[in-house]
Amino acid sequence: MATIHDVAREAGVSIATVSRALNGGPRVNEATRRRVLETAAALDFRPNHAARGLATGRLGNVGVLLPDVANPFFGAVLAGIARASQERGFGVFVADSREDATAEPELAGRLSQQVDGLVLVAPRMSDDDVRSYAARRPTVLVNRLVDGVDGVAVDAAQGMSDLLAQVALLGHRTVCYLDGPAASRAGTAKRAGLSAAAEQYGVDLHVEQSQAPTFAAGRAAAQRVLDSGCTAAVCFDDLLAWGVLTRVRELGVSVPDDLSITGFDDSLEEGMVSPGLTTVSARNREMGTIAAGMLERRLRDTTLGPATEVLRCNVVVRGSTAALNSRRR
Amino acid sequence: MATIHDVAREAGVSIATVSRALNGGPRVNEATRRRVLETAAALDFRPNHAARGLATGRLGNVGVLLPDVANPFFGAVLAGIARASQERGFGVFVADSREDATAEPELAGRLSQQVDGLVLVAPRMSDDDVRSYAARRPTVLVNRLVDGVDGVAVDAAQGMSDLLAQVALLGHRTVCYLDGPAASRAGTAKRAGLSAAAEQYGVDLHVEQSQAPTFAAGRAAAQRVLDSGCTAAVCFDDLLAWGVLTRVRELGVSVPDDLSITGFDDSLEEGMVSPGLTTVSARNREMGTIAAGMLERRLRDTTLGPATEVLRCNVVVRGSTAALNSRRR
DNA sequence: GTGAAAGCGCTAACAT
DNA sequence: ATGTTAGCGCTTTCAC
């Protein structure tokens, strides 16, 4: 693989000139520059990233730490980050913690050796750990906010609150919330939004726990939801809602006539589940895109104050919710 | 950030000793080693990857080029690669081509600067381009085989062949194949497997095209499938099959009584679609894991002959297929 | 406008 | 067993 020395020799100049020409540096004769560029292309010269990184201290890479790349939720975030970063000429490192928070410090540490900045999608990491990584390297948090650290998040509390308002508007007064993993921070926000709205609208909120935010867990929890006697089930996310919906229908319960159901994320395509799921749009890919932008801004100027962006979520009303009808008390 | 010089000074040894101690090199006094390790830990020393890469020529990273990280199919492959590589101490670089084959050369070129080896999940890249990357750096292909290049793939032809055999066994003699994107290589293998089996079992195979392998495209194609008058529909993948299934039921067609439907990939969880989809298991994550293993083997010894692994696919029979019954001719 | 040379942090001979 | 030193490929003063 050709180095700048090869290019320099071939073009009859010094390596310094090659470097300047390649990097658009100043004080290079236009003719020389052209010649250098041509021979570089002819030799298929590719600057060695590692060497450049050593010399400049800038690696030109960003790192992404997330719990599970195979999960479409994180996949969407990663896609947003990767595409935005690539466009800006950054390489993207990814570390998958397998949903194992104890593996995160090790991974984050290794990541940060090779990148200029970090995007952390680590819902279960402690605030202190987050701050310690942020102290080392420019860091942006996704779907989570920690004081003093850049971050972009969806306003889950507002989303759930608006959603419950919508449900209350339909006349429901006893609502069951099927929660996700207890440790999740998103869960805290969602519960907070729900509680606030429940109080405001005089809704009696019954909370059921579910260990995982999966389709299977939704099915498993369906009976408990029914037993709660509520007229509407608000679920932690779409998969859970889908599971509940599927199972209760098998049990002969009509949706939305007998039970209204809602999800969160808007991750299901139109028609995948019927009736369509009333849900909250979570804008994951957009969070990724924004995170990449924030990180680049921070890399440009480390002295900036911490930036924070909170995305509003919109309630998407579909067929899985309906007005409380006379068949129910 | 501490360097080996800091550690050396602090521990009262030379940088060479530090390097040896850290890398488990030979001829280091046990006491010295311990002391070095301790001061390194105390200083929170992290070896600089770029510098090490420069010195050794080995970066300790693998690169993955794929069309779309947000697509669960590729997400699963990436998860397999990432986890297996991390375990072996490799970092993972990812490049997302946005399903745009023209962007691949540029991305692959940039990737290869920073990695020791490449995993290519690039169904649409030309064989020549594949070979040219493989010539530069150790390369492993996923879900595709090219002469002389390491690769792991699922035997889609065998899978489709077995699947059609199963369908034929149920008595179906007119089968509609709803194909995916024309450019896809996986599609070629699938068509080949189907044709062979169709001939063998005396099945009349009718091919319908669909532009994308998506749920929506499946819905859109449903009417054409029905118009073909076939008694069974074999689809390019699960999403397409799901779309067809959903749409034909809306049109009042009973599955599997009036129409048997099959998918490919086994990507839907139990119960997500009902009746359960008869399909072929594609083992994506496993391909990723195997690819990472092959790459590591190749990095260890570049002189090895090309290795190739073809995974058998198993037909998974569920409720969406049934014996041709008397209601149909 | 161009070249010489130092040095980024590390490894790997080679000396001692 | 440990230290010295020469690079790895590149950027970046500083001379010319």
Side-chain angles (χ1 to χ4, degrees), chain B residues 13-14 16-17 20 27 29 32 54-55:
Chain B
V13 296
S14 78
T17 303
R20 286 191 209 100
R27 287 189 304 269
N29 186 302
T32 319
L54 238 202

PDB file of all heavy atoms in Angstrom, chain B residues 13-14 16-17 20 27 29 32 54-55, chain D residues 1-10:
ATOM      1  N   VAL B  13      11.325   2.165  35.358  1.00  0.00           N
ATOM      2  CA  VAL B  13      11.892   1.247  34.362  1.00  0.00           C
ATOM      3  C   VAL B  13      11.892   1.936  33.000  1.00  0.00           C
ATOM      4  O   VAL B  13      11.492   3.084  32.884  1.00  0.00           O
ATOM      5  CB  VAL B  13      11.072  -0.053  34.279  1.00  0.00           C
ATOM      6  CG1 VAL B  13      11.133  -0.817  35.584  1.00  0.00           C
ATOM      7  CG2 VAL B  13       9.633   0.257  33.893  1.00  0.00           C
ATOM      8  N   SER B  14      12.348   1.232  31.982  1.00  0.00           N
ATOM      9  CA  SER B  14      12.344   1.826  30.641  1.00  0.00           C
ATOM     10  C   SER B  14      11.021   1.512  29.935  1.00  0.00           C
ATOM     11  O   SER B  14      10.294   0.603  30.335  1.00  0.00           O
ATOM     12  CB  SER B  14      13.484   1.264  29.816  1.00  0.00           C
ATOM     13  OG  SER B  14      13.135  -0.028  29.361  1.00  0.00           O
ATOM     14  N   ALA B  16      10.624   0.108  27.215  1.00  0.00           N
ATOM     15  CA  ALA B  16      10.635  -1.235  26.617  1.00  0.00           C
ATOM     16  C   ALA B  16      10.106  -2.253  27.621  1.00  0.00           C
ATOM     17  O   ALA B  16       9.309  -3.126  27.278  1.00  0.00           O
ATOM     18  CB  ALA B  16      12.048  -1.600  26.199  1.00  0.00           C
ATOM     19  N   THR B  17      10.537  -2.104  28.839  1.00  0.00           N
ATOM     20  CA  THR B  17      10.072  -3.023  29.883  1.00  0.00           C
ATOM     21  C   THR B  17       8.569  -2.893  30.089  1.00  0.00           C
ATOM     22  O   THR B  17       7.863  -3.887  30.237  1.00  0.00           O
ATOM     23  CB  THR B  17      10.810  -2.733  31.197  1.00  0.00           C
ATOM     24  OG1 THR B  17      12.207  -2.854  30.963  1.00  0.00           O
ATOM     25  CG2 THR B  17      10.390  -3.715  32.266  1.00  0.00           C
ATOM     26  N   ARG B  20       6.873  -4.693  27.287  1.00  0.00           N
ATOM     27  CA  ARG B  20       6.925  -6.148  27.473  1.00  0.00           C
ATOM     28  C   ARG B  20       5.975  -6.608  28.561  1.00  0.00           C
ATOM     29  O   ARG B  20       5.222  -7.551  28.391  1.00  0.00           O
ATOM     30  CB  ARG B  20       8.338  -6.579  27.850  1.00  0.00           C
ATOM     31  CG  ARG B  20       9.293  -6.545  26.690  1.00  0.00           C
ATOM     32  CD  ARG B  20      10.588  -7.223  27.053  1.00  0.00           C
ATOM     33  NE  ARG B  20      11.696  -6.666  26.303  1.00  0.00           N
ATOM     34  CZ  ARG B  20      12.537  -5.773  26.780  1.00  0.00           C
ATOM     35  NH1 ARG B  20      12.443  -5.358  28.030  1.00  0.00           N
ATOM     36  NH2 ARG B  20      13.502  -5.297  26.018  1.00  0.00           N
ATOM     37  N   ARG B  27      10.870 -12.792  29.293  1.00  0.00           N
ATOM     38  CA  ARG B  27      12.020 -12.189  29.976  1.00  0.00           C
ATOM     39  C   ARG B  27      11.673 -10.911  30.730  1.00  0.00           C
ATOM     40  O   ARG B  27      12.258  -9.860  30.499  1.00  0.00           O
ATOM     41  CB  ARG B  27      13.136 -11.870  28.962  1.00  0.00           C
ATOM     42  CG  ARG B  27      13.862 -13.103  28.456  1.00  0.00           C
ATOM     43  CD  ARG B  27      15.058 -12.705  27.646  1.00  0.00           C
ATOM     44  NE  ARG B  27      14.707 -11.830  26.537  1.00  0.00           N
ATOM     45  CZ  ARG B  27      14.393 -12.263  25.326  1.00  0.00           C
ATOM     46  NH1 ARG B  27      14.394 -13.540  25.078  1.00  0.00           N
ATOM     47  NH2 ARG B  27      14.074 -11.422  24.379  1.00  0.00           N
ATOM     48  N   ASN B  29      11.075  -9.813  34.732  1.00  0.00           N
ATOM     49  CA  ASN B  29      11.036 -10.246  36.130  1.00  0.00           C
ATOM     50  C   ASN B  29       9.613 -10.128  36.662  1.00  0.00           C
ATOM     51  O   ASN B  29       8.933  -9.142  36.430  1.00  0.00           O
ATOM     52  CB  ASN B  29      11.982  -9.373  36.948  1.00  0.00           C
ATOM     53  CG  ASN B  29      12.089  -9.872  38.375  1.00  0.00           C
ATOM     54  OD1 ASN B  29      11.077  -9.961  39.069  1.00  0.00           O
ATOM     55  ND2 ASN B  29      13.286 -10.216  38.789  1.00  0.00           N
ATOM     56  N   THR B  32       8.973  -7.054  38.652  1.00  0.00           N
ATOM     57  CA  THR B  32       8.909  -5.871  37.799  1.00  0.00           C
ATOM     58  C   THR B  32       7.566  -5.797  37.094  1.00  0.00           C
ATOM     59  O   THR B  32       6.907  -4.758  37.092  1.00  0.00           O
ATOM     60  CB  THR B  32      10.016  -5.924  36.726  1.00  0.00           C
ATOM     61  OG1 THR B  32      11.207  -6.401  37.330  1.00  0.00           O
ATOM     62  CG2 THR B  32      10.220  -4.568  36.125  1.00  0.00           C
ATOM     63  N   LEU B  54       0.408   1.450  14.212  1.00  0.00           N
ATOM     64  CA  LEU B  54       1.497   1.953  13.376  1.00  0.00           C
ATOM     65  C   LEU B  54       2.729   1.070  13.537  1.00  0.00           C
ATOM     66  O   LEU B  54       3.386   0.706  12.561  1.00  0.00           O
ATOM     67  CB  LEU B  54       1.842   3.379  13.813  1.00  0.00           C
ATOM     68  CG  LEU B  54       1.754   4.477  12.782  1.00  0.00           C
ATOM     69  CD1 LEU B  54       2.612   5.640  13.217  1.00  0.00           C
ATOM     70  CD2 LEU B  54       2.149   3.986  11.415  1.00  0.00           C
ATOM     71  N   ALA B  55       3.034   0.763  14.760  1.00  0.00           N
ATOM     72  CA  ALA B  55       4.254   0.023  15.047  1.00  0.00           C
ATOM     73  C   ALA B  55       4.182  -1.431  14.588  1.00  0.00           C
ATOM     74  O   ALA B  55       5.153  -1.995  14.104  1.00  0.00           O
ATOM     75  CB  ALA B  55       4.566   0.081  16.531  1.00  0.00           C
TER      76      ALA B  55
ATOM     77  P    DA D   1      14.790 -13.549  32.953  1.00  0.00           P
ATOM     78  OP1  DA D   1      13.920 -14.359  33.794  1.00  0.00           O
ATOM     79  OP2  DA D   1      14.505 -13.474  31.504  1.00  0.00           O
ATOM     80  O5'  DA D   1      14.755 -12.070  33.480  1.00  0.00           O
ATOM     81  C5'  DA D   1      15.015 -11.715  34.811  1.00  0.00           C
ATOM     82  C4'  DA D   1      15.524 -10.311  34.764  1.00  0.00           C
ATOM     83  O4'  DA D   1      16.561 -10.230  33.746  1.00  0.00           O
ATOM     84  C3'  DA D   1      14.463  -9.265  34.397  1.00  0.00           C
ATOM     85  O3'  DA D   1      14.688  -8.129  35.218  1.00  0.00           O
ATOM     86  C2'  DA D   1      14.739  -8.970  32.918  1.00  0.00           C
ATOM     87  C1'  DA D   1      16.247  -9.163  32.846  1.00  0.00           C
ATOM     88  N9   DA D   1      16.722  -9.602  31.518  1.00  0.00           N
ATOM     89  C8   DA D   1      16.272 -10.653  30.772  1.00  0.00           C
ATOM     90  N7   DA D   1      16.904 -10.796  29.630  1.00  0.00           N
ATOM     91  C5   DA D   1      17.831  -9.769  29.624  1.00  0.00           C
ATOM     92  C6   DA D   1      18.800  -9.369  28.686  1.00  0.00           C
ATOM     93  N6   DA D   1      19.018 -10.001  27.534  1.00  0.00           N
ATOM     94  N1   DA D   1      19.558  -8.290  28.995  1.00  0.00           N
ATOM     95  C2   DA D   1      19.350  -7.668  30.158  1.00  0.00           C
ATOM     96  N3   DA D   1      18.474  -7.949  31.115  1.00  0.00           N
ATOM     97  C4   DA D   1      17.729  -9.025  30.779  1.00  0.00           C
ATOM     98  P    DT D   2      13.667  -6.960  35.263  1.00  0.00           P
ATOM     99  OP1  DT D   2      13.732  -6.385  36.614  1.00  0.00           O
ATOM    100  OP2  DT D   2      12.393  -7.429  34.700  1.00  0.00           O
ATOM    101  O5'  DT D   2      14.299  -5.900  34.268  1.00  0.00           O
ATOM    102  C5'  DT D   2      15.469  -5.202  34.669  1.00  0.00           C
ATOM    103  C4'  DT D   2      16.050  -4.466  33.501  1.00  0.00           C
ATOM    104  O4'  DT D   2      16.318  -5.360  32.406  1.00  0.00           O
ATOM    105  C3'  DT D   2      15.162  -3.365  32.904  1.00  0.00           C
ATOM    106  O3'  DT D   2      15.715  -2.122  33.333  1.00  0.00           O
ATOM    107  C2'  DT D   2      15.257  -3.563  31.394  1.00  0.00           C
ATOM    108  C1'  DT D   2      16.410  -4.542  31.251  1.00  0.00           C
ATOM    109  N1   DT D   2      16.364  -5.431  30.070  1.00  0.00           N
ATOM    110  C2   DT D   2      17.257  -5.220  29.054  1.00  0.00           C
ATOM    111  O2   DT D   2      18.089  -4.327  29.053  1.00  0.00           O
ATOM    112  N3   DT D   2      17.149  -6.101  27.998  1.00  0.00           N
ATOM    113  C4   DT D   2      16.255  -7.152  27.884  1.00  0.00           C
ATOM    114  O4   DT D   2      16.258  -7.883  26.897  1.00  0.00           O
ATOM    115  C5   DT D   2      15.345  -7.320  28.996  1.00  0.00           C
ATOM    116  C7   DT D   2      14.349  -8.428  28.972  1.00  0.00           C
ATOM    117  C6   DT D   2      15.445  -6.457  30.034  1.00  0.00           C
ATOM    118  P    DG D   3      15.105  -0.755  32.892  1.00  0.00           P
ATOM    119  OP1  DG D   3      15.332   0.219  33.982  1.00  0.00           O
ATOM    120  OP2  DG D   3      13.737  -1.009  32.382  1.00  0.00           O
ATOM    121  O5'  DG D   3      16.067  -0.375  31.687  1.00  0.00           O
ATOM    122  C5'  DG D   3      17.457  -0.260  31.937  1.00  0.00           C
ATOM    123  C4'  DG D   3      18.193   0.121  30.670  1.00  0.00           C
ATOM    124  O4'  DG D   3      18.088  -0.960  29.708  1.00  0.00           O
ATOM    125  C3'  DG D   3      17.650   1.371  29.968  1.00  0.00           C
ATOM    126  O3'  DG D   3      18.754   2.146  29.506  1.00  0.00           O
ATOM    127  C2'  DG D   3      16.845   0.793  28.803  1.00  0.00           C
ATOM    128  C1'  DG D   3      17.648  -0.452  28.459  1.00  0.00           C
ATOM    129  N9   DG D   3      16.885  -1.511  27.819  1.00  0.00           N
ATOM    130  C8   DG D   3      15.764  -2.122  28.300  1.00  0.00           C
ATOM    131  N7   DG D   3      15.305  -3.062  27.516  1.00  0.00           N
ATOM    132  C5   DG D   3      16.174  -3.071  26.442  1.00  0.00           C
ATOM    133  C6   DG D   3      16.177  -3.866  25.271  1.00  0.00           C
ATOM    134  O6   DG D   3      15.389  -4.750  24.958  1.00  0.00           O
ATOM    135  N1   DG D   3      17.238  -3.536  24.422  1.00  0.00           N
ATOM    136  C2   DG D   3      18.176  -2.561  24.686  1.00  0.00           C
ATOM    137  N2   DG D   3      19.114  -2.384  23.763  1.00  0.00           N
ATOM    138  N3   DG D   3      18.187  -1.803  25.781  1.00  0.00           N
ATOM    139  C4   DG D   3      17.168  -2.106  26.608  1.00  0.00           C
ATOM    140  P    DT D   4      18.552   3.593  28.900  1.00  0.00           P
ATOM    141  OP1  DT D   4      19.399   4.522  29.659  1.00  0.00           O
ATOM    142  OP2  DT D   4      17.094   3.825  28.796  1.00  0.00           O
ATOM    143  O5'  DT D   4      19.129   3.462  27.420  1.00  0.00           O
ATOM    144  C5'  DT D   4      19.879   2.335  27.033  1.00  0.00           C
ATOM    145  C4'  DT D   4      20.206   2.439  25.547  1.00  0.00           C
ATOM    146  O4'  DT D   4      19.514   1.367  24.834  1.00  0.00           O
ATOM    147  C3'  DT D   4      19.789   3.729  24.852  1.00  0.00           C
ATOM    148  O3'  DT D   4      20.734   4.004  23.832  1.00  0.00           O
ATOM    149  C2'  DT D   4      18.411   3.387  24.303  1.00  0.00           C
ATOM    150  C1'  DT D   4      18.621   1.922  23.883  1.00  0.00           C
ATOM    151  N1   DT D   4      17.390   1.077  23.902  1.00  0.00           N
ATOM    152  C2   DT D   4      17.178   0.185  22.870  1.00  0.00           C
ATOM    153  O2   DT D   4      17.930   0.055  21.923  1.00  0.00           O
ATOM    154  N3   DT D   4      16.032  -0.566  23.004  1.00  0.00           N
ATOM    155  C4   DT D   4      15.113  -0.505  24.032  1.00  0.00           C
ATOM    156  O4   DT D   4      14.131  -1.236  24.038  1.00  0.00           O
ATOM    157  C5   DT D   4      15.394   0.452  25.066  1.00  0.00           C
ATOM    158  C7   DT D   4      14.462   0.590  26.216  1.00  0.00           C
ATOM    159  C6   DT D   4      16.512   1.194  24.961  1.00  0.00           C
ATOM    160  P    DT D   5      20.601   5.276  22.859  1.00  0.00           P
ATOM    161  OP1  DT D   5      21.955   5.611  22.405  1.00  0.00           O
ATOM    162  OP2  DT D   5      19.734   6.294  23.501  1.00  0.00           O
ATOM    163  O5'  DT D   5      19.804   4.628  21.629  1.00  0.00           O
ATOM    164  C5'  DT D   5      20.388   3.517  20.945  1.00  0.00           C
ATOM    165  C4'  DT D   5      19.515   3.136  19.761  1.00  0.00           C
ATOM    166  O4'  DT D   5      18.363   2.379  20.196  1.00  0.00           O
ATOM    167  C3'  DT D   5      18.969   4.325  18.966  1.00  0.00           C
ATOM    168  O3'  DT D   5      19.063   3.991  17.597  1.00  0.00           O
ATOM    169  C2'  DT D   5      17.515   4.398  19.407  1.00  0.00           C
ATOM    170  C1'  DT D   5      17.202   2.910  19.563  1.00  0.00           C
ATOM    171  N1   DT D   5      16.026   2.574  20.416  1.00  0.00           N
ATOM    172  C2   DT D   5      15.299   1.444  20.106  1.00  0.00           C
ATOM    173  O2   DT D   5      15.566   0.719  19.177  1.00  0.00           O
ATOM    174  N3   DT D   5      14.244   1.209  20.951  1.00  0.00           N
ATOM    175  C4   DT D   5      13.848   1.973  22.035  1.00  0.00           C
ATOM    176  O4   DT D   5      12.893   1.640  22.709  1.00  0.00           O
ATOM    177  C5   DT D   5      14.659   3.133  22.298  1.00  0.00           C
ATOM    178  C7   DT D   5      14.331   4.017  23.453  1.00  0.00           C
ATOM    179  C6   DT D   5      15.696   3.383  21.481  1.00  0.00           C
ATOM    180  P    DA D   6      19.172   5.152  16.542  1.00  0.00           P
ATOM    181  OP1  DA D   6      20.590   5.368  16.230  1.00  0.00           O
ATOM    182  OP2  DA D   6      18.305   6.279  16.965  1.00  0.00           O
ATOM    183  O5'  DA D   6      18.495   4.444  15.279  1.00  0.00           O
ATOM    184  C5'  DA D   6      18.693   3.040  15.066  1.00  0.00           C
ATOM    185  C4'  DA D   6      17.421   2.432  14.482  1.00  0.00           C
ATOM    186  O4'  DA D   6      16.435   2.231  15.522  1.00  0.00           O
ATOM    187  C3'  DA D   6      16.746   3.307  13.427  1.00  0.00           C
ATOM    188  O3'  DA D   6      16.294   2.450  12.394  1.00  0.00           O
ATOM    189  C2'  DA D   6      15.580   3.943  14.179  1.00  0.00           C
ATOM    190  C1'  DA D   6      15.200   2.806  15.108  1.00  0.00           C
ATOM    191  N9   DA D   6      14.479   3.212  16.313  1.00  0.00           N
ATOM    192  C8   DA D   6      14.703   4.304  17.105  1.00  0.00           C
ATOM    193  N7   DA D   6      13.894   4.389  18.133  1.00  0.00           N
ATOM    194  C5   DA D   6      13.075   3.276  18.010  1.00  0.00           C
ATOM    195  C6   DA D   6      12.014   2.786  18.783  1.00  0.00           C
ATOM    196  N6   DA D   6      11.580   3.385  19.894  1.00  0.00           N
ATOM    197  N1   DA D   6      11.422   1.642  18.374  1.00  0.00           N
ATOM    198  C2   DA D   6      11.861   1.046  17.265  1.00  0.00           C
ATOM    199  N3   DA D   6      12.857   1.406  16.452  1.00  0.00           N
ATOM    200  C4   DA D   6      13.428   2.542  16.892  1.00  0.00           C
ATOM    201  P    DG D   7      15.951   3.088  11.017  1.00  0.00           P
ATOM    202  OP1  DG D   7      15.220   2.044  10.232  1.00  0.00           O
ATOM    203  OP2  DG D   7      17.173   3.688  10.486  1.00  0.00           O
ATOM    204  O5'  DG D   7      14.968   4.280  11.439  1.00  0.00           O
ATOM    205  C5'  DG D   7      13.738   4.465  10.751  1.00  0.00           C
ATOM    206  C4'  DG D   7      12.777   3.308  11.014  1.00  0.00           C
ATOM    207  O4'  DG D   7      12.696   3.126  12.446  1.00  0.00           O
ATOM    208  C3'  DG D   7      11.378   3.616  10.511  1.00  0.00           C
ATOM    209  O3'  DG D   7      10.859   2.507   9.814  1.00  0.00           O
ATOM    210  C2'  DG D   7      10.563   3.909  11.750  1.00  0.00           C
ATOM    211  C1'  DG D   7      11.329   3.187  12.845  1.00  0.00           C
ATOM    212  N9   DG D   7      11.245   3.961  14.082  1.00  0.00           N
ATOM    213  C8   DG D   7      11.991   5.075  14.435  1.00  0.00           C
ATOM    214  N7   DG D   7      11.676   5.553  15.610  1.00  0.00           N
ATOM    215  C5   DG D   7      10.651   4.706  16.052  1.00  0.00           C
ATOM    216  C6   DG D   7       9.905   4.740  17.267  1.00  0.00           C
ATOM    217  O6   DG D   7      10.013   5.528  18.208  1.00  0.00           O
ATOM    218  N1   DG D   7       8.975   3.715  17.321  1.00  0.00           N
ATOM    219  C2   DG D   7       8.789   2.773  16.327  1.00  0.00           C
ATOM    220  N2   DG D   7       7.853   1.865  16.550  1.00  0.00           N
ATOM    221  N3   DG D   7       9.475   2.726  15.201  1.00  0.00           N
ATOM    222  C4   DG D   7      10.388   3.721  15.137  1.00  0.00           C
ATOM    223  P    DC D   8      10.050   2.754   8.526  1.00  0.00           P
ATOM    224  OP1  DC D   8      10.501   1.743   7.551  1.00  0.00           O
ATOM    225  OP2  DC D   8      10.128   4.188   8.218  1.00  0.00           O
ATOM    226  O5'  DC D   8       8.537   2.473   8.934  1.00  0.00           O
ATOM    227  C5'  DC D   8       8.048   1.190   9.295  1.00  0.00           C
ATOM    228  C4'  DC D   8       6.675   1.384   9.894  1.00  0.00           C
ATOM    229  O4'  DC D   8       6.816   1.806  11.261  1.00  0.00           O
ATOM    230  C3'  DC D   8       5.884   2.484   9.200  1.00  0.00           C
ATOM    231  O3'  DC D   8       4.983   1.876   8.260  1.00  0.00           O
ATOM    232  C2'  DC D   8       5.110   3.182  10.337  1.00  0.00           C
ATOM    233  C1'  DC D   8       5.752   2.653  11.625  1.00  0.00           C
ATOM    234  N1   DC D   8       6.341   3.701  12.514  1.00  0.00           N
ATOM    235  C2   DC D   8       6.001   3.736  13.873  1.00  0.00           C
ATOM    236  O2   DC D   8       5.200   2.908  14.318  1.00  0.00           O
ATOM    237  N3   DC D   8       6.562   4.691  14.667  1.00  0.00           N
ATOM    238  C4   DC D   8       7.432   5.560  14.156  1.00  0.00           C
ATOM    239  N4   DC D   8       7.959   6.463  14.969  1.00  0.00           N
ATOM    240  C5   DC D   8       7.786   5.534  12.778  1.00  0.00           C
ATOM    241  C6   DC D   8       7.220   4.605  12.001  1.00  0.00           C
ATOM    242  P    DG D   9       4.974   2.423   6.762  1.00  0.00           P
ATOM    243  OP1  DG D   9       4.212   1.424   5.991  1.00  0.00           O
ATOM    244  OP2  DG D   9       6.340   2.804   6.357  1.00  0.00           O
ATOM    245  O5'  DG D   9       4.105   3.754   6.869  1.00  0.00           O
ATOM    246  C5'  DG D   9       2.730   3.652   7.196  1.00  0.00           C
ATOM    247  C4'  DG D   9       2.181   5.039   7.421  1.00  0.00           C
ATOM    248  O4'  DG D   9       2.852   5.646   8.535  1.00  0.00           O
ATOM    249  C3'  DG D   9       2.370   6.000   6.240  1.00  0.00           C
ATOM    250  O3'  DG D   9       1.130   6.628   5.997  1.00  0.00           O
ATOM    251  C2'  DG D   9       3.446   6.966   6.718  1.00  0.00           C
ATOM    252  C1'  DG D   9       3.207   6.969   8.218  1.00  0.00           C
ATOM    253  N9   DG D   9       4.379   7.284   9.019  1.00  0.00           N
ATOM    254  C8   DG D   9       5.688   6.938   8.769  1.00  0.00           C
ATOM    255  N7   DG D   9       6.521   7.344   9.693  1.00  0.00           N
ATOM    256  C5   DG D   9       5.716   7.997  10.617  1.00  0.00           C
ATOM    257  C6   DG D   9       6.058   8.647  11.834  1.00  0.00           C
ATOM    258  O6   DG D   9       7.172   8.769  12.357  1.00  0.00           O
ATOM    259  N1   DG D   9       4.939   9.175  12.466  1.00  0.00           N
ATOM    260  C2   DG D   9       3.652   9.094  11.983  1.00  0.00           C
ATOM    261  N2   DG D   9       2.704   9.650  12.719  1.00  0.00           N
ATOM    262  N3   DG D   9       3.321   8.493  10.844  1.00  0.00           N
ATOM    263  C4   DG D   9       4.396   7.972  10.221  1.00  0.00           C
ATOM    264  P    DC D  10       0.977   7.768   4.911  1.00  0.00           P
ATOM    265  OP1  DC D  10      -0.344   7.592   4.295  1.00  0.00           O
ATOM    266  OP2  DC D  10       2.175   7.860   4.070  1.00  0.00           O
ATOM    267  O5'  DC D  10       0.908   9.047   5.845  1.00  0.00           O
ATOM    268  C5'  DC D  10      -0.176   9.163   6.756  1.00  0.00           C
ATOM    269  C4'  DC D  10       0.129  10.218   7.789  1.00  0.00           C
ATOM    270  O4'  DC D  10       1.422   9.954   8.364  1.00  0.00           O
ATOM    271  C3'  DC D  10       0.230  11.644   7.256  1.00  0.00           C
ATOM    272  O3'  DC D  10      -1.012  12.303   7.443  1.00  0.00           O
ATOM    273  C2'  DC D  10       1.310  12.290   8.117  1.00  0.00           C
ATOM    274  C1'  DC D  10       1.893  11.148   8.928  1.00  0.00           C
ATOM    275  N1   DC D  10       3.372  11.098   8.922  1.00  0.00           N
ATOM    276  C2   DC D  10       4.060  11.647   9.995  1.00  0.00           C
ATOM    277  O2   DC D  10       3.423  12.194  10.903  1.00  0.00           O
ATOM    278  N3   DC D  10       5.411  11.590  10.010  1.00  0.00           N
ATOM    279  C4   DC D  10       6.070  11.001   9.009  1.00  0.00           C
ATOM    280  N4   DC D  10       7.403  10.952   9.072  1.00  0.00           N
ATOM    281  C5   DC D  10       5.380  10.433   7.893  1.00  0.00           C
ATOM    282  C6   DC D  10       4.048  10.511   7.891  1.00  0.00           C
TER     283       DC D  10
END
